[in-house]
Amino acid sequence: MLIALDSQNHYVQADLIKEKNIKGSLFCPGCRQPVYLKRGKIKIPHFSHYQASDCFLFSEGETLEHLAGKQMLSQWFTQQEIPCMLEAYLPKLKQRPDLLIWLDQKIPVAIEFQCSFISEANMIKRTQSYQKAGYKVIWILGKRFKLKRKLTAQQRLFLYYHKNFNYHLFFLDTNHQKLHIFYHLIQFERNELLKSRNYQVSLTNKKITLKTIINHFETLTYQPYVESEVAQTKELLKNHQFLMRALRNSQSKLIDFQRVLYQAHHHLLFLPIELHLPIEQSVIIQMQNCQWKYQVVRWLSKKGENQVFTSREYVQNMMIQLLFYPTPLITKKIQQKELIRYLYFLETQQIIHQIAHHQWIVLKKLVFFNSEEEKLMELTKNTD
């Protein structure tokens, strides 16, 4: 722990205290048991219990990364004159965020620097506890959670969403004292390959403040990863090859989907091109891109041509049929927005048309191909 109580019940900070100035005993703010200052050439100054403790608020097994990260963030906020408390104990919640800051006088923000594994249930419990008490909560991830080619179940727990920079994650690199914001997170249909953009903030650069970061993202606009029609077609061909390989693999997630298609007299390789577009896939839907979009098209087909439906009716049906990953920081409203976004895409393909606010009409059914050859001919038209 970086904070302790002195004999006058005042908070003292480990990196600011001098041992010769310590008068009387120091105590743990959580369990009120005696603690002592540990200081070394490598280890960051911190307080520790004298003996093994069952204190549920302060862990004796804190890593150097965790201690350093809390201290770096505290110094960064403090130099910007943002009110900040290290390891503030919230008695009503029985929780102790790594930092507590105030961006305005009304809403406190709890910041958690997560360096180790946390169960889904525990993460959700802690998050909801903050939110119900009126706190905003920001989870910042450590090196254990470094982004690679695919999003893990643990990483998805910490996803945030903003209209300007889409799905995003916060990371802190304590070795280089840099905060990373990975944003515009999407995955490509084949193998769920991850794409993202990275905004880096040096915590030692006094010119870059929280206000600078906010201003940057307020003016941000979305730029697609695949822009040209030719590049998009090439991606579609790669996706088709991926589906071919998936059918040969008996362990593939798509085998069960192929069985559903077979019962409806369809085939995975004959699906309409629109089911693979846009190439970019949502990171919160726990189904293959073509799979959940097939459910949408199937629902529209049952409606029939020239039939009118509402956004609410559509969303209610799809929320029952589709599976979403556990994402505690993503609201149900954002999940619904993902579904509505596909309706606007289908409108660009002249499949449906918006006739009023939240009202749509089905213009035509999507065309299923009769063979793989027929589909490949359509896919390669724009690559010549």
Side-chain angles (χ1 to χ4, degrees):
M1 73 189 80
L2 298 177
I3 297 292
L5 288 170
D6 64 16
S7 55
Q8 280 75 48
N9 213 35
H10 296 145
Y11 285 102
V12 291
Q13 193 167 317
D15 62 325
L16 300 179
I17 195 172
K18 293 182 179 179
E19 290 181 76
K20 64 180 181 180
N21 293 336
I22 298 176
K23 296 179 181 179
S25 300
L26 297 171
F27 303 93
C28 169
C31 65
R32 301 289 171 148
Q33 294 298 310
V35 296
Y36 64 98
L37 179 67
K38 294 179 74 174
R39 191 193 301 258
K41 293 181 179 179
I42 299 176
K43 195 74 171 177
I44 288 175
H46 65 286
F47 299 107
S48 183
H49 292 84
Y50 275 100
Q51 54 190 3
S53 169
D54 59 356
C55 178
F56 68 96
L57 285 171
F58 289 91
S59 168
E60 294 299 298
E62 277 192 284
T63 63
L64 177 63
E65 179 191 19
H66 193 228
L67 289 167
K70 291 191 290 186
Q71 191 165 295
M72 285 175 196
L73 291 169
S74 175
Q75 290 170 351
W76 188 60
F77 289 124
T78 301
Q79 74 184 17
Q80 298 173 59
E81 298 183 352
I82 295 173
C84 175
M85 287 183 64
L86 263 171
E87 303 174 338
Y89 177 50
L90 309 177
K92 289 184 179 180
L93 306 185
K94 295 183 179 179
Q95 289 184 202
R96 177 193 55 86
D98 291 323
L99 295 101
L100 197 62
I101 66 171
W102 284 262
L103 301 179
D104 58 46
Q105 294 182 349
K106 296 180 180 179
I107 304 176
V109 181
I111 295 180
E112 295 279 10
F113 180 39
Q114 193 65 32
C115 300
S116 58
F117 172 83
I118 183 173
S119 70
E120 177 186 322
N122 194 16
M123 187 274 179
I124 292 174
K125 180 181 177 181
R126 284 166 66 181
T127 298
Q128 290 179 345
S129 181
Y130 285 130
Q131 292 171 338
K132 287 177 182 177
Y135 293 85
K136 288 184 178 179
V137 57
I138 296 177
W139 292 85
I140 300 176
L141 303 178
K143 63 182 179 182
R144 176 192 176 103
F145 300 95
K146 184 179 179 181
L147 277 183
K148 296 181 181 178
R149 288 168 59 85
K150 296 183 181 181
L151 271 178
T152 66
Q154 273 275 294
Q155 289 167 337
R156 277 192 173 88
L157 289 175
F158 303 100
L159 281 172
Y160 286 87
Y161 179 85
H162 188 277
K163 62 180 181 180
N164 285 9
F165 44 107
N166 213 276
Y167 298 104
H168 55 284
L169 289 167
F170 300 101
F171 287 83
L172 179 60
D173 179 351
T174 56
N175 289 333
H176 298 93
Q177 299 189 53
K178 285 186 177 180
L179 178 67
H180 295 263
I181 304 173
F182 288 93
Y183 64 101
H184 286 168
L185 283 166
I186 60 96
Q187 49 191 39
F188 280 71
E189 182 169 5
R190 62 182 189 283
N191 294 333
E192 301 176 350
L193 294 177
L194 184 69
K195 289 283 185 181
S196 66
R197 294 184 169 93
N198 182 10
Y199 182 79
Q200 299 183 37
V201 178
S202 173
L203 299 186
T204 58
N205 186 344
K206 294 184 179 180
K207 292 182 180 179
I208 301 180
T209 63
L210 190 60
K211 188 175 181 180
T212 306
I213 299 171
I214 293 171
N215 289 340
H216 171 78
F217 282 104
E218 280 181 349
T219 59
L220 206 62
T221 55
Y222 180 66
Q223 295 295 323
Y225 290 93
V226 181
E227 296 184 10
S228 72
E229 189 174 349
V230 172
Q232 196 172 70
T233 302
K234 287 181 178 178
E235 284 296 327
L236 280 171
L237 283 169
K238 291 177 182 178
N239 286 343
H240 185 77
Q241 292 165 357
F242 164 70
L243 294 177
M244 289 174 60
R245 291 192 297 271
L247 286 180
R248 298 193 195 106
N249 181 4
S250 60
Q251 303 301 316
S252 170
K253 297 177 183 178
L254 289 168
I255 294 298
D256 289 339
F257 179 41
Q258 171 57 29
R259 294 192 184 102
V260 172
L261 291 172
Y262 182 78
Q263 292 174 356
H265 307 290
H266 294 143
H267 194 282
L268 185 63
L269 299 180
F270 307 165
L271 294 178
I273 291 174
E274 289 83 358
L275 266 63
H276 303 288
L277 290 170
I279 300 297
E280 298 165 12
Q281 179 181 353
S282 169
V283 294
I284 64 170
I285 299 180
Q286 197 175 0
M287 299 170 75
Q288 288 288 331
N289 212 13
C290 57
Q291 187 175 1
W292 74 264
K293 289 176 179 177
Y294 173 76
Q295 298 295 339
V296 174
V297 169
R298 192 177 182 183
W299 185 81
L300 292 175
S301 296
K302 289 180 180 179
K303 282 288 175 186
E305 292 183 23
N306 300 318
Q307 295 301 306
V308 175
F309 66 94
T310 65
S311 297
R312 182 178 180 181
E313 177 189 7
Y314 158 75
V315 165
Q316 285 178 339
N317 276 273
M318 289 304 109
M319 289 296 286
I320 295 171
Q321 296 186 49
L322 305 190
L323 295 174
F324 289 86
Y325 286 104
T327 50
L329 302 166
I330 304 294
T331 64
K332 187 171 286 188
K333 188 176 181 180
I334 300 302
Q335 293 178 340
Q336 295 170 349
K337 186 176 180 178
E338 281 288 353
L339 303 176
I340 296 296
R341 187 168 68 169
Y342 188 50
L343 289 184
Y344 285 108
F345 168 74
L346 291 176
E347 186 176 37
T348 67
Q349 303 300 305
Q350 299 179 340
I351 305 299
I352 60 176
H353 179 65
Q354 189 172 17
I355 55 175
H357 190 55
H358 297 313
Q359 280 196 324
W360 307 77
I361 186 170
V362 180
L363 298 180
K364 63 180 181 181
K365 293 182 179 180
L366 286 177
V367 177
F368 285 76
F369 294 98
N370 295 313
S371 67
E372 185 181 351
E373 291 75 18
E374 184 183 353
K375 184 174 182 178
L376 286 171
M377 285 181 62
E378 184 65 27
L379 282 174
T380 54
K381 279 197 310 186
N382 297 319
T383 59
D384 300 331

